[in-house]
Amino acid sequence: MVGEEMSLRKRLSKSSDDPEEKEDQGSPAKQAPETPSNGRVDIKELIAKKKQLTAEAEELKPYFMKEVGTHFDDFVTNLIEKSVSLDSGGCALTSFSVLGANNHRAKDLRAPPEHGKIFVIRRSLLDELFEVDHIRTIYHMFIALLILFILSTLVVDYIDEGRLVLEFNLLYYAFGQLPVVICTWCAMFLSTLSVPYFLFQHWARGYSKSSHPVIHSFFHGLLLMVFQIGILGCGPTYAVLAYTLPPASRSIVIFEQIRMIMKVHSFVRENVPRVLTSAKEKSKTVPVPTVSQYLYFLFAPTLIYRDNYPRTPTIRWGYVTMQFAQVFGCLFYMYYAFERLCVPLFRNIKQEPFSARVLVLCIFNSILPGVLGLLLTFFAFLHCWLNAFAEMLRFGDRMFYKDWWNSTSYSNYYRTWNVVVHDWLYYYAYKDFLWFFTKRFKSAAMLAVFAVSAVVHEYVLAVCLSFFYPVLFVLFMFFGMAFNFIVNDSRKRPIWNVMMWTSLFAGQGVILCLYSQEWYARQHCPLKNPTFLDYIRPRSWTCRYVF
């Protein structure tokens, strides 16, 4: 960094140090292009000088942009760190102190971990990047690819079947029985709104008055655990299994189930210390949030509870409409990608028995649709869906993700891919684990967080697909954890970013291939009287398709 800065300064000062240019400055006749005796400008010489200036500018441009980007990052980082110090009793913030802090990053100015996440008003990264024409062109490329998928479907249907009809049978099947989904969600939401809030309020108001506060707390904690496991945990799962909901409808219920469980935990986890502190100080007022604050939190696009969040002044309904339109666009995009790239692939694969050859071909042919599914899921949910709700609620902090695509290590990728979930895991799983078992067990805390995340991911897939096939668990728990420990944040060279993308692409191909093969195997090789082992034993390894 220092070498590049010195190189830039030398290049910028080269022209002023050149003796010939000094002579030119001293001689007015040499400042302008030389002209012949007839008074006309030599066009060739002028063009040559313009080319020389352009070449020098292009040569200096990357150094200049790198310098600007580095200093801008340092400026923003120090600004955030010093503004955070105001909340933790730090020194006052001045513009001179921020600008003068280029050469160091004061770790002592960061907010202590017990203060938790600090929310500020900021836009999503893609909203800022889409203002750049070069980045917006990539978005246009994906739209063009969607148009080609639609045209491909129309052309193939017309050639094969002689008709121009866009059918959405797969979408109708995947999102079937929506009335059951809506009723289940309403029951989940009403119970989440009423039961945890009532239990917490009753515990908080009676804690300081109780003669046995430990028993009082244990009883209410037990009731809350019964609600979390029994009602929110088992209730929705039973509903999706009893009504045999299709995969997409199941995913809506299960994701909402997990979201509400995490919301309840955050609400209780953030407010219990406040009540205990109030009781210790013998305060007359009990810090119980209002119902409106809790209700806002249930819809806010965050899993970290606060009484108040930074709010934007207005709601841009045009922006909300655009975000929801893009969500539906991504849904159809994924449908056409699956229809054109996956269905023909697995329709041919199912005619052959399971073998190493079939598996290798399947994995490599599944990489492209798998990557498209990953990018579309990210854009539809983490950007469009969360930004739409944030705009409607005037929720100011829109940092739902960071620049995960620039990651050179999986540890950075896990932190930046889904900031909303990462914050919850960091503050309520990782930090609480270290607080409970002391800070000497950081590796064990990280392992515990990986295990929790892997189990929850596998639970979602097992319930949504109606079978247990722990491909994602193995990739996430073993390979992902190994990469997380081996390839750390010190790897900054571009080759590590290439390796990260390569392994990510390959993993998406493995996941899509193996789960799709198992799905087709269970559809075409059903068992009359399946046992429990039949639900957890891979059927794609032994199934022989009969036509």
Side-chain angles (χ1 to χ4, degrees), residues 80 84 87 110-122 266 269-270 297 301-310 395-402 415 418-428 431:
I80 293 175
V84 165
D87 296 331
R110 295 179 181 177
E114 58 268 18
H115 284 196
K117 179 180 176 65
I118 296 177
F119 292 88
V120 296
I121 294 181
R122 49 191 166 188
S266 176
R269 174 65 181 80
E270 293 289 342
F297 170 62
T302 179
L303 297 174
I304 307 295
Y305 175 80
R306 294 289 182 270
D307 288 339
N308 299 288
Y309 300 93
F395 186 82
D397 198 332
R398 311 288 175 87
M399 193 182 69
F400 308 124
Y401 54 89
K402 297 179 183 178
R415 291 194 300 267
N418 189 341
V419 174
V420 179
V421 174
H422 172 265
D423 287 340
W424 192 94
L425 290 173
Y426 178 76
Y427 289 110
Y428 303 138
K431 299 300 292 184

Short mmCIF file of all heavy atoms in Angstrom, two decimals, residues 80 84 87 110-122 266 269-270 297 301-310 395-402 415 418-428 431:
data_model
loop_
_atom_site.label_atom_id
_atom_site.label_comp_id
_atom_site.label_asym_id
_atom_site.label_seq_id
_atom_site.Cartn_x
_atom_site.Cartn_y
_atom_site.Cartn_z
N ILE A 80 -17.52 5.66 11.70
CA ILE A 80 -18.45 4.78 12.42
C ILE A 80 -17.90 4.42 13.79
O ILE A 80 -18.61 4.44 14.80
CB ILE A 80 -18.71 3.52 11.58
CG1 ILE A 80 -19.48 3.88 10.30
CG2 ILE A 80 -19.52 2.49 12.38
CD1 ILE A 80 -19.68 2.72 9.36
N VAL A 84 -19.64 5.49 17.30
CA VAL A 84 -20.06 4.47 18.25
C VAL A 84 -19.50 4.77 19.64
O VAL A 84 -20.13 4.49 20.66
CB VAL A 84 -19.58 3.08 17.76
CG1 VAL A 84 -19.68 2.05 18.88
CG2 VAL A 84 -20.44 2.63 16.58
N ASP A 87 -21.71 6.47 22.23
CA ASP A 87 -22.68 5.69 22.99
C ASP A 87 -22.03 4.96 24.15
O ASP A 87 -22.70 4.56 25.09
CB ASP A 87 -23.37 4.68 22.07
CG ASP A 87 -24.19 5.38 21.00
OD1 ASP A 87 -24.66 6.50 21.26
OD2 ASP A 87 -24.35 4.79 19.91
N ARG A 110 -14.27 1.08 19.56
CA ARG A 110 -15.42 0.29 19.15
C ARG A 110 -16.33 0.00 20.34
O ARG A 110 -15.88 -0.09 21.48
CB ARG A 110 -14.97 -1.03 18.52
CG ARG A 110 -14.19 -0.83 17.23
CD ARG A 110 -13.75 -2.15 16.66
NE ARG A 110 -12.99 -1.96 15.43
CZ ARG A 110 -12.43 -2.94 14.75
NH1 ARG A 110 -12.52 -4.18 15.19
NH2 ARG A 110 -11.76 -2.70 13.64
N ALA A 111 -17.62 -0.16 20.05
CA ALA A 111 -18.57 -0.43 21.12
C ALA A 111 -18.27 -1.78 21.74
O ALA A 111 -17.95 -2.73 21.04
CB ALA A 111 -20.00 -0.41 20.58
N PRO A 112 -18.33 -1.89 23.05
CA PRO A 112 -18.10 -3.19 23.68
C PRO A 112 -19.15 -4.18 23.27
O PRO A 112 -20.27 -3.81 22.92
CB PRO A 112 -18.19 -2.87 25.19
CG PRO A 112 -18.93 -1.58 25.28
CD PRO A 112 -18.61 -0.83 24.02
N PRO A 113 -18.83 -5.49 23.28
CA PRO A 113 -19.77 -6.51 22.78
C PRO A 113 -21.10 -6.51 23.50
O PRO A 113 -22.13 -6.80 22.90
CB PRO A 113 -19.00 -7.83 23.00
CG PRO A 113 -17.58 -7.43 23.07
CD PRO A 113 -17.55 -6.08 23.69
N GLU A 114 -21.11 -6.19 24.80
CA GLU A 114 -22.37 -6.26 25.53
C GLU A 114 -23.36 -5.20 25.08
O GLU A 114 -24.55 -5.27 25.39
CB GLU A 114 -22.13 -6.14 27.03
CG GLU A 114 -21.43 -4.87 27.46
CD GLU A 114 -19.92 -5.04 27.51
OE1 GLU A 114 -19.41 -6.00 26.90
OE2 GLU A 114 -19.25 -4.22 28.15
N HIS A 115 -22.90 -4.18 24.37
CA HIS A 115 -23.81 -3.18 23.86
C HIS A 115 -24.58 -3.68 22.64
O HIS A 115 -25.55 -3.06 22.23
CB HIS A 115 -23.05 -1.90 23.51
CG HIS A 115 -22.67 -1.10 24.73
ND1 HIS A 115 -22.28 0.21 24.66
CD2 HIS A 115 -22.61 -1.45 26.04
CE1 HIS A 115 -21.99 0.65 25.87
NE2 HIS A 115 -22.18 -0.34 26.72
N GLY A 116 -24.14 -4.74 22.02
CA GLY A 116 -24.87 -5.34 20.92
C GLY A 116 -24.78 -4.55 19.64
O GLY A 116 -23.97 -3.62 19.48
N LYS A 117 -25.63 -4.87 18.71
CA LYS A 117 -25.63 -4.25 17.39
C LYS A 117 -26.16 -2.84 17.48
O LYS A 117 -27.12 -2.55 18.19
CB LYS A 117 -26.50 -5.08 16.44
CG LYS A 117 -26.59 -4.51 15.03
CD LYS A 117 -27.46 -5.38 14.15
CE LYS A 117 -27.64 -4.77 12.77
NZ LYS A 117 -26.37 -4.72 12.03
N ILE A 118 -25.53 -1.94 16.75
CA ILE A 118 -25.95 -0.54 16.69
C ILE A 118 -26.54 -0.29 15.31
O ILE A 118 -25.91 -0.55 14.29
CB ILE A 118 -24.76 0.40 16.96
CG1 ILE A 118 -24.26 0.20 18.38
CG2 ILE A 118 -25.16 1.85 16.74
CD1 ILE A 118 -23.06 1.03 18.73
N PHE A 119 -27.77 0.19 15.29
CA PHE A 119 -28.48 0.44 14.04
C PHE A 119 -28.30 1.89 13.63
O PHE A 119 -28.42 2.81 14.45
CB PHE A 119 -29.97 0.14 14.22
CG PHE A 119 -30.29 -1.32 14.42
CD1 PHE A 119 -30.28 -1.86 15.69
CD2 PHE A 119 -30.58 -2.14 13.35
CE1 PHE A 119 -30.57 -3.21 15.89
CE2 PHE A 119 -30.87 -3.48 13.53
CZ PHE A 119 -30.86 -4.01 14.81
N VAL A 120 -28.01 2.08 12.35
CA VAL A 120 -27.88 3.42 11.78
C VAL A 120 -28.63 3.43 10.44
O VAL A 120 -28.90 2.39 9.85
CB VAL A 120 -26.40 3.81 11.56
CG1 VAL A 120 -25.66 3.90 12.88
CG2 VAL A 120 -25.71 2.82 10.63
N ILE A 121 -28.95 4.60 9.97
CA ILE A 121 -29.63 4.72 8.67
C ILE A 121 -28.61 4.52 7.56
O ILE A 121 -27.62 5.26 7.47
CB ILE A 121 -30.32 6.08 8.54
CG1 ILE A 121 -31.46 6.21 9.56
CG2 ILE A 121 -30.86 6.27 7.12
CD1 ILE A 121 -32.20 7.52 9.48
N ARG A 122 -28.82 3.50 6.73
CA ARG A 122 -27.93 3.23 5.60
C ARG A 122 -28.68 2.41 4.57
O ARG A 122 -29.58 1.64 4.90
CB ARG A 122 -26.67 2.51 6.06
CG ARG A 122 -26.92 1.31 6.96
CD ARG A 122 -25.64 0.81 7.57
NE ARG A 122 -25.90 -0.11 8.67
CZ ARG A 122 -24.96 -0.58 9.48
NH1 ARG A 122 -23.70 -0.24 9.29
NH2 ARG A 122 -25.26 -1.41 10.45
N SER A 266 -34.93 -13.23 20.82
CA SER A 266 -34.27 -11.93 20.87
C SER A 266 -35.03 -10.97 21.78
O SER A 266 -34.41 -10.22 22.56
CB SER A 266 -34.17 -11.33 19.45
OG SER A 266 -33.63 -10.03 19.49
N ARG A 269 -34.35 -12.12 25.32
CA ARG A 269 -32.92 -11.99 25.64
C ARG A 269 -32.52 -10.53 25.84
O ARG A 269 -31.66 -10.23 26.69
CB ARG A 269 -32.09 -12.64 24.52
CG ARG A 269 -30.59 -12.46 24.63
CD ARG A 269 -30.04 -13.15 25.86
NE ARG A 269 -28.60 -12.95 25.96
CZ ARG A 269 -28.02 -11.86 26.43
NH1 ARG A 269 -28.75 -10.84 26.86
NH2 ARG A 269 -26.70 -11.77 26.50
N GLU A 270 -33.08 -9.61 25.09
CA GLU A 270 -32.70 -8.21 25.21
C GLU A 270 -33.37 -7.52 26.39
O GLU A 270 -32.84 -6.54 26.92
CB GLU A 270 -33.05 -7.46 23.92
CG GLU A 270 -32.24 -7.88 22.71
CD GLU A 270 -30.79 -7.43 22.80
OE1 GLU A 270 -30.49 -6.53 23.60
OE2 GLU A 270 -29.95 -7.99 22.07
N PHE A 297 -41.49 -4.88 15.95
CA PHE A 297 -40.33 -5.76 15.86
C PHE A 297 -40.66 -7.06 15.12
O PHE A 297 -39.83 -7.59 14.38
CB PHE A 297 -39.82 -6.07 17.26
CG PHE A 297 -38.77 -7.16 17.31
CD1 PHE A 297 -37.55 -7.01 16.68
CD2 PHE A 297 -39.02 -8.34 17.99
CE1 PHE A 297 -36.60 -8.00 16.72
CE2 PHE A 297 -38.07 -9.34 18.04
CZ PHE A 297 -36.86 -9.17 17.41
N PRO A 301 -37.46 -5.98 9.49
CA PRO A 301 -36.49 -6.90 8.85
C PRO A 301 -35.19 -7.00 9.64
O PRO A 301 -34.10 -6.70 9.14
CB PRO A 301 -36.27 -6.26 7.47
CG PRO A 301 -36.50 -4.81 7.71
CD PRO A 301 -37.57 -4.71 8.75
N THR A 302 -35.31 -7.40 10.89
CA THR A 302 -34.14 -7.64 11.73
C THR A 302 -34.53 -8.67 12.78
O THR A 302 -35.71 -8.83 13.11
CB THR A 302 -33.67 -6.35 12.42
OG1 THR A 302 -32.54 -6.65 13.25
CG2 THR A 302 -34.76 -5.75 13.28
N LEU A 303 -33.52 -9.37 13.31
CA LEU A 303 -33.75 -10.36 14.36
C LEU A 303 -33.18 -9.89 15.70
O LEU A 303 -33.16 -10.66 16.66
CB LEU A 303 -33.10 -11.70 13.98
CG LEU A 303 -33.68 -12.38 12.73
CD1 LEU A 303 -32.86 -13.61 12.37
CD2 LEU A 303 -35.13 -12.74 12.93
N ILE A 304 -32.75 -8.64 15.77
CA ILE A 304 -32.22 -8.05 16.99
C ILE A 304 -33.23 -7.04 17.51
O ILE A 304 -33.55 -6.06 16.82
CB ILE A 304 -30.86 -7.36 16.75
CG1 ILE A 304 -29.88 -8.33 16.07
CG2 ILE A 304 -30.29 -6.83 18.05
CD1 ILE A 304 -29.50 -9.52 16.91
N TYR A 305 -33.73 -7.26 18.74
CA TYR A 305 -34.77 -6.38 19.27
C TYR A 305 -34.18 -5.08 19.81
O TYR A 305 -33.15 -5.07 20.47
CB TYR A 305 -35.54 -7.07 20.39
CG TYR A 305 -36.56 -6.14 21.03
CD1 TYR A 305 -37.78 -5.90 20.42
CD2 TYR A 305 -36.24 -5.45 22.20
CE1 TYR A 305 -38.69 -5.02 20.97
CE2 TYR A 305 -37.14 -4.56 22.76
CZ TYR A 305 -38.36 -4.34 22.14
OH TYR A 305 -39.26 -3.46 22.69
N ARG A 306 -34.87 -3.98 19.48
CA ARG A 306 -34.63 -2.68 20.08
C ARG A 306 -35.99 -2.01 20.29
O ARG A 306 -36.93 -2.23 19.52
CB ARG A 306 -33.76 -1.78 19.19
CG ARG A 306 -32.34 -2.28 19.00
CD ARG A 306 -31.52 -2.15 20.28
NE ARG A 306 -30.15 -2.59 20.07
CZ ARG A 306 -29.72 -3.82 20.25
NH1 ARG A 306 -30.57 -4.77 20.63
NH2 ARG A 306 -28.44 -4.14 20.05
N ASP A 307 -36.08 -1.17 21.33
CA ASP A 307 -37.33 -0.43 21.54
C ASP A 307 -37.62 0.50 20.37
O ASP A 307 -38.78 0.68 19.97
CB ASP A 307 -37.26 0.36 22.84
CG ASP A 307 -37.34 -0.53 24.07
OD1 ASP A 307 -37.83 -1.66 23.94
OD2 ASP A 307 -36.90 -0.09 25.15
N ASN A 308 -36.57 1.09 19.83
CA ASN A 308 -36.72 2.03 18.72
C ASN A 308 -35.58 1.81 17.73
O ASN A 308 -34.46 1.48 18.11
CB ASN A 308 -36.70 3.48 19.22
CG ASN A 308 -37.84 3.77 20.17
OD1 ASN A 308 -38.98 3.85 19.77
ND2 ASN A 308 -37.52 3.93 21.45
N TYR A 309 -35.90 2.00 16.46
CA TYR A 309 -34.93 1.88 15.38
C TYR A 309 -34.86 3.21 14.63
O TYR A 309 -35.82 3.98 14.61
CB TYR A 309 -35.33 0.77 14.40
CG TYR A 309 -35.42 -0.60 15.02
CD1 TYR A 309 -36.64 -1.08 15.51
CD2 TYR A 309 -34.32 -1.44 15.11
CE1 TYR A 309 -36.74 -2.34 16.08
CE2 TYR A 309 -34.40 -2.70 15.67
CZ TYR A 309 -35.62 -3.15 16.16
OH TYR A 309 -35.72 -4.39 16.71
N PRO A 310 -33.74 3.49 13.98
CA PRO A 310 -33.70 4.69 13.12
C PRO A 310 -34.70 4.56 11.99
O PRO A 310 -34.80 3.52 11.34
CB PRO A 310 -32.25 4.71 12.62
CG PRO A 310 -31.73 3.32 12.82
CD PRO A 310 -32.46 2.77 13.99
N PHE A 395 -37.99 1.49 8.11
CA PHE A 395 -36.85 0.94 8.84
C PHE A 395 -35.57 1.44 8.18
O PHE A 395 -35.34 1.20 6.99
CB PHE A 395 -36.92 -0.58 8.82
CG PHE A 395 -35.88 -1.27 9.66
CD1 PHE A 395 -36.06 -1.43 11.01
CD2 PHE A 395 -34.72 -1.75 9.09
CE1 PHE A 395 -35.11 -2.07 11.79
CE2 PHE A 395 -33.76 -2.39 9.85
CZ PHE A 395 -33.95 -2.55 11.21
N GLY A 396 -34.72 2.13 8.93
CA GLY A 396 -33.61 2.85 8.33
C GLY A 396 -32.40 2.01 7.98
O GLY A 396 -31.76 2.26 6.96
N ASP A 397 -32.07 1.02 8.80
CA ASP A 397 -30.85 0.24 8.59
C ASP A 397 -31.09 -0.86 7.57
O ASP A 397 -31.69 -1.88 7.87
CB ASP A 397 -30.37 -0.35 9.92
CG ASP A 397 -28.92 -0.79 9.87
OD1 ASP A 397 -28.45 -1.13 8.76
OD2 ASP A 397 -28.26 -0.79 10.92
N ARG A 398 -30.62 -0.67 6.35
CA ARG A 398 -30.88 -1.62 5.26
C ARG A 398 -29.67 -2.51 4.97
O ARG A 398 -29.58 -3.08 3.88
CB ARG A 398 -31.23 -0.84 3.98
CG ARG A 398 -32.30 0.24 4.16
CD ARG A 398 -33.68 -0.31 4.36
NE ARG A 398 -34.66 0.70 4.64
CZ ARG A 398 -35.35 1.39 3.72
NH1 ARG A 398 -35.13 1.16 2.44
NH2 ARG A 398 -36.23 2.29 4.08
N MET A 399 -28.75 -2.64 5.91
CA MET A 399 -27.57 -3.48 5.66
C MET A 399 -27.95 -4.94 5.97
O MET A 399 -27.57 -5.51 6.99
CB MET A 399 -26.38 -3.05 6.50
CG MET A 399 -25.07 -3.68 6.05
SD MET A 399 -23.66 -3.22 7.08
CE MET A 399 -24.07 -4.07 8.60
N PHE A 400 -28.68 -5.56 5.05
CA PHE A 400 -29.09 -6.95 5.21
C PHE A 400 -28.01 -7.92 4.72
O PHE A 400 -28.09 -9.12 4.98
CB PHE A 400 -30.39 -7.20 4.44
CG PHE A 400 -31.46 -6.21 4.76
CD1 PHE A 400 -32.07 -5.46 3.76
CD2 PHE A 400 -31.86 -6.01 6.06
CE1 PHE A 400 -33.05 -4.54 4.04
CE2 PHE A 400 -32.85 -5.08 6.37
CZ PHE A 400 -33.45 -4.34 5.35
N TYR A 401 -27.05 -7.41 4.01
CA TYR A 401 -25.93 -8.20 3.49
C TYR A 401 -24.79 -7.24 3.22
O TYR A 401 -24.98 -6.02 3.21
CB TYR A 401 -26.33 -8.92 2.19
CG TYR A 401 -26.89 -7.98 1.15
CD1 TYR A 401 -26.06 -7.34 0.24
CD2 TYR A 401 -28.26 -7.70 1.10
CE1 TYR A 401 -26.57 -6.45 -0.68
CE2 TYR A 401 -28.77 -6.81 0.18
CZ TYR A 401 -27.93 -6.18 -0.71
OH TYR A 401 -28.42 -5.29 -1.62
N LYS A 402 -23.61 -7.79 3.03
CA LYS A 402 -22.46 -6.99 2.66
C LYS A 402 -21.91 -7.51 1.33
O LYS A 402 -22.59 -8.28 0.64
CB LYS A 402 -21.39 -7.05 3.76
CG LYS A 402 -21.86 -6.45 5.08
CD LYS A 402 -20.78 -6.55 6.15
CE LYS A 402 -21.26 -6.03 7.49
NZ LYS A 402 -20.23 -6.17 8.55
N ARG A 415 -20.06 -14.25 7.23
CA ARG A 415 -20.42 -13.03 7.93
C ARG A 415 -21.18 -12.05 7.04
O ARG A 415 -21.95 -11.22 7.56
CB ARG A 415 -19.17 -12.33 8.48
CG ARG A 415 -18.49 -13.06 9.61
CD ARG A 415 -17.48 -12.14 10.30
NE ARG A 415 -16.46 -11.69 9.37
CZ ARG A 415 -15.29 -12.30 9.19
NH1 ARG A 415 -15.01 -13.39 9.87
NH2 ARG A 415 -14.41 -11.82 8.33
N ASN A 418 -25.55 -13.21 4.81
CA ASN A 418 -26.83 -12.91 5.42
C ASN A 418 -26.56 -12.25 6.77
O ASN A 418 -26.43 -12.93 7.79
CB ASN A 418 -27.66 -14.19 5.59
CG ASN A 418 -29.09 -13.92 6.02
OD1 ASN A 418 -29.40 -12.85 6.53
ND2 ASN A 418 -29.95 -14.90 5.83
N VAL A 419 -26.47 -10.93 6.76
CA VAL A 419 -26.13 -10.19 7.97
C VAL A 419 -27.22 -10.31 9.02
O VAL A 419 -26.95 -10.32 10.23
CB VAL A 419 -25.85 -8.72 7.63
CG1 VAL A 419 -25.63 -7.88 8.89
CG2 VAL A 419 -24.63 -8.61 6.72
N VAL A 420 -28.47 -10.43 8.59
CA VAL A 420 -29.60 -10.50 9.53
C VAL A 420 -29.47 -11.73 10.42
O VAL A 420 -29.55 -11.64 11.65
CB VAL A 420 -30.93 -10.52 8.76
CG1 VAL A 420 -32.10 -10.63 9.73
CG2 VAL A 420 -31.07 -9.27 7.90
N VAL A 421 -29.24 -12.89 9.82
CA VAL A 421 -29.10 -14.13 10.59
C VAL A 421 -27.76 -14.16 11.31
O VAL A 421 -27.65 -14.64 12.45
CB VAL A 421 -29.27 -15.35 9.68
CG1 VAL A 421 -28.97 -16.64 10.43
CG2 VAL A 421 -30.68 -15.39 9.10
N HIS A 422 -26.72 -13.65 10.66
CA HIS A 422 -25.39 -13.67 11.29
C HIS A 422 -25.39 -12.86 12.58
O HIS A 422 -24.77 -13.26 13.58
CB HIS A 422 -24.34 -13.10 10.33
CG HIS A 422 -23.00 -12.90 10.97
ND1 HIS A 422 -22.61 -11.68 11.51
CD2 HIS A 422 -21.98 -13.75 11.20
CE1 HIS A 422 -21.41 -11.80 12.03
NE2 HIS A 422 -20.99 -13.03 11.85
N ASP A 423 -26.08 -11.72 12.59
CA ASP A 423 -26.14 -10.92 13.81
C ASP A 423 -26.77 -11.72 14.95
O ASP A 423 -26.30 -11.67 16.10
CB ASP A 423 -26.93 -9.63 13.56
CG ASP A 423 -26.16 -8.64 12.72
OD1 ASP A 423 -24.93 -8.75 12.65
OD2 ASP A 423 -26.80 -7.76 12.11
N TRP A 424 -27.86 -12.43 14.65
CA TRP A 424 -28.53 -13.22 15.68
C TRP A 424 -27.59 -14.31 16.19
O TRP A 424 -27.48 -14.52 17.40
CB TRP A 424 -29.80 -13.83 15.11
CG TRP A 424 -30.71 -14.41 16.15
CD1 TRP A 424 -31.76 -13.80 16.76
CD2 TRP A 424 -30.66 -15.75 16.68
NE1 TRP A 424 -32.37 -14.65 17.65
CE2 TRP A 424 -31.71 -15.86 17.62
CE3 TRP A 424 -29.84 -16.85 16.46
CZ2 TRP A 424 -31.95 -17.04 18.33
CZ3 TRP A 424 -30.07 -18.02 17.18
CH2 TRP A 424 -31.11 -18.11 18.10
N LEU A 425 -26.95 -15.03 15.29
CA LEU A 425 -26.05 -16.10 15.71
C LEU A 425 -24.85 -15.54 16.48
O LEU A 425 -24.37 -16.17 17.44
CB LEU A 425 -25.55 -16.88 14.49
CG LEU A 425 -26.59 -17.75 13.77
CD1 LEU A 425 -26.01 -18.31 12.48
CD2 LEU A 425 -27.05 -18.88 14.68
N TYR A 426 -24.36 -14.38 16.09
CA TYR A 426 -23.18 -13.82 16.74
C TYR A 426 -23.50 -13.37 18.17
O TYR A 426 -22.77 -13.71 19.11
CB TYR A 426 -22.66 -12.63 15.93
CG TYR A 426 -21.47 -11.94 16.56
CD1 TYR A 426 -20.20 -12.52 16.51
CD2 TYR A 426 -21.63 -10.73 17.22
CE1 TYR A 426 -19.11 -11.90 17.11
CE2 TYR A 426 -20.54 -10.09 17.82
CZ TYR A 426 -19.29 -10.69 17.76
OH TYR A 426 -18.22 -10.07 18.35
N TYR A 427 -24.59 -12.63 18.33
CA TYR A 427 -24.89 -12.07 19.65
C TYR A 427 -25.56 -13.05 20.60
O TYR A 427 -25.33 -12.99 21.81
CB TYR A 427 -25.77 -10.82 19.50
CG TYR A 427 -25.04 -9.66 18.90
CD1 TYR A 427 -25.32 -9.22 17.61
CD2 TYR A 427 -24.04 -9.00 19.61
CE1 TYR A 427 -24.64 -8.16 17.06
CE2 TYR A 427 -23.35 -7.94 19.06
CZ TYR A 427 -23.65 -7.52 17.78
OH TYR A 427 -22.95 -6.47 17.24
N TYR A 428 -26.39 -13.95 20.07
CA TYR A 428 -27.16 -14.83 20.96
C TYR A 428 -26.65 -16.26 21.02
O TYR A 428 -27.08 -17.01 21.89
CB TYR A 428 -28.63 -14.84 20.53
CG TYR A 428 -29.25 -13.47 20.49
CD1 TYR A 428 -30.10 -13.09 19.45
CD2 TYR A 428 -28.98 -12.54 21.49
CE1 TYR A 428 -30.67 -11.84 19.42
CE2 TYR A 428 -29.53 -11.27 21.45
CZ TYR A 428 -30.38 -10.92 20.42
OH TYR A 428 -30.93 -9.67 20.39
N LYS A 431 -21.61 -15.11 21.24
CA LYS A 431 -21.23 -14.30 22.38
C LYS A 431 -21.78 -14.85 23.69
O LYS A 431 -21.08 -14.81 24.72
CB LYS A 431 -21.73 -12.86 22.19
CG LYS A 431 -21.15 -12.16 20.97
CD LYS A 431 -19.64 -12.06 21.04
CE LYS A 431 -19.16 -11.12 22.12
NZ LYS A 431 -17.68 -10.96 22.11
#
